[in-house]
Amino acid sequence: MGAGRLYTAVAAGGFRRYATYRVATAAGVFTNTAFGIILVYTYLALWDEKPHLGGYDQTQAVTYVWLGQCLYATLAVQGGGVEKDLMERIRTGAIAIDLYRPADLQLWWLATDLGRSLFQLLGRGVIPFLFGAVFFPMALPSDAGTWAAFLVALLLAMVVSFGIRYLAALSVFWLMDGMGVNQVMMITGVFFSGMTLPLNVFPGALGEIARALPWAALIQTPADVLMGETSAPEAFAFQAGWAVALLVAGRLLQSTATRRVVVQGG
């Protein structure tokens, strides 16, 4: 089997695996829709007091909320993607089996996570987004070109998200447990991705730093592409730069870990 077919099959396997959790998916759809409603009315009240906060009008703020609910599980903003399985395999020593496979470790887990992301987008993300579009005014583009640019930004966001979580998972080679790392990822993911508030509203140096970090590529950048608040080439360059940097860092850390660290449990 060629490399392309191999990793396509791995991605398809990741999609099928998460598609089996139907009750959890339905619960996630309900949760994201409920939180979306709560956040929308909170944002509307905030934008009533501060019109054009962060350069957004109320319609754009509402769009941002529903896009965040759509991408929350898709991009594993608080973790909960394949990195949990990888951490457990490192902790138990089962990672040794992965290293013997005639496949690249990083690409294997990337393909698996892309399959997971695609299912979460279709199975859990689309319905809350459509609910928001039906019941609330949203600033959605009418041209196919903007939607195509948004899909490219979303794919790059998936890769950036994986890059962050892959680095976190590899830390278990040294820490022997991923609980603390997972907690840090939850906090940084929600705050710096713009899941709670758009990064555009962060003041001064804090805002500049937040918008320069890789988490900004997850929610903020795709949202600005969708609403025409940034140029697509600029957004792609920012996301692609972080994607390459994180994947290279993951490759280097993986090489160090598998060459120098004794596998836990084996």
Side-chain angles (χ1 to χ4, degrees), residues 121-133:
L121 175 65
L122 299 177
R124 180 170 171 174
V126 169
I127 294 177
F129 189 79
L130 291 177
F131 176 91

Side-chain angles (χ1 to χ4, degrees), residues 2-134:
R5 290 177 59 194
L6 170 64
Y7 296 117
T8 299
V10 172
F15 184 99
R16 288 194 301 271
R17 175 190 171 187
Y18 282 86
T20 61
Y21 301 112
R22 297 176 183 177
V23 175
T25 299
V29 170
F30 174 81
T31 301
N32 286 127
T33 304
F35 270 97
I37 294 171
I38 294 170
L39 283 174
V40 161
Y41 285 108
T42 302
Y43 273 38
L44 289 175
L46 178 59
W47 260 259
D48 275 336
E49 293 296 323
K50 298 284 186 179
H52 299 288
L53 180 64
Y56 290 164
D57 59 27
Q58 280 193 336
T59 303
Q60 289 175 311
V62 169
T63 306
Y64 188 93
V65 168
W66 289 113
L67 185 61
Q69 294 305 308
C70 173
L71 300 184
Y72 171 77
T74 301
L75 301 177
V77 172
Q78 282 189 292
V82 298
E83 78 283 350
K84 293 185 68 176
D85 294 334
L86 180 54
M87 287 176 175
E88 182 63 15
R89 293 183 72 80
I90 295 171
R91 188 188 68 81
T92 62
I95 190 67
I97 299 173
D98 299 339
L99 295 173
Y100 275 110
R101 287 194 183 114
D104 183 84
L105 182 69
Q106 187 183 47
L107 290 178
W108 178 283
W109 287 100
L110 172 59
T112 303
D113 198 58
L114 289 177
R116 178 205 62 81
S117 296
L118 181 58
F119 171 75
Q120 295 288 21
L121 175 65
L122 299 177
R124 180 170 171 174
V126 169
I127 294 177
F129 189 79
L130 291 177
F131 176 91
V134 170

